Amino acid sequence: MYQTKTMEKLEMMECPKCGNSMPVKRRELGYHVCVNCSTVSAKRGVPVMRGTGDHTWVDLEVMTQEQFERYEEMENKTKTEITPSKTEGRNLQGPFTIVETDK
Ligand SMILES: [Zn+2]
C-alpha cells in the first residue's frame, strides 16, 4: 500500500483582478493579486545609457518584471565576464604548501 505524503493544503482565494484562484498564503506575503497579474502589472524603471561618444544621455527604460529580471541576468553575466579569471596564475605549477607566515 502506498502512503502518499499529502502536501500542505493550500487555502485558495479568488484573485481580485482576474478571478483566478490564488493561494491565500500569497496575500499573507503581501501580494494582493495572483502570480499572473503581479508579473504583468509590475513595472520597473531602469536607467539606461543611450547614444555614443559625446552625445550620451540617460534614459529611463520602463520594463515589466520579466524583462527586468532578464536585464539583471544580462548585467550580472557581463560583470562576471569582466572579472579577471583565475587563469592568470597558470604559470605557477603546483603542488604547493601554503605556509602561514604571520605568527
Ligand atoms: Zn490574477
Side-chain angles (χ1 to χ4, degrees), residues 56-100:
T56 54
W57 68 96
V58 175
D59 207 359
L60 195 69
E61 184 95 48
V62 178
M63 36 180 99
T64 61
Q65 181 66 31
E66 200 191 33
Q67 287 172 317
F68 178 75
E69 274 163 22
R70 218 175 293 152
Y71 168 83
E72 266 206 324
E73 210 175 274
M74 248 164 56
E75 282 280 286
N76 290 341
K77 208 181 264 174
T78 320
K79 270 172 209 154
T80 34
E81 273 162 16
I82 289 165
T83 321
S85 58
K86 285 167 191 165
T87 47
E88 266 173 41
R90 208 182 251 169
N91 53 344
L92 292 173
Q93 287 184 359
F96 292 102
T97 317
I98 312 290
V99 186
E100 294 244 359

Side-chain angles (χ1 to χ4, degrees), residues 18-64:
C18 67
N20 278 333
S21 54
M22 63 178 266
V24 176
K25 192 120 201 156
R26 193 172 158 76
R27 197 179 53 181
E28 282 165 18
L29 291 170
Y31 301 95
H32 296 280
V33 288
C34 73
V35 191
N36 281 339
C37 292
S38 70
T39 335
V40 175
S41 59
K43 290 263 171 32
R44 305 288 286 260
V46 180
V48 180
M49 183 84 91
R50 294 213 190 273
T52 44
D54 292 335
H55 191 65
T56 54
W57 68 96
V58 175
D59 207 359
L60 195 69
E61 184 95 48
V62 178
M63 36 180 99
T64 61

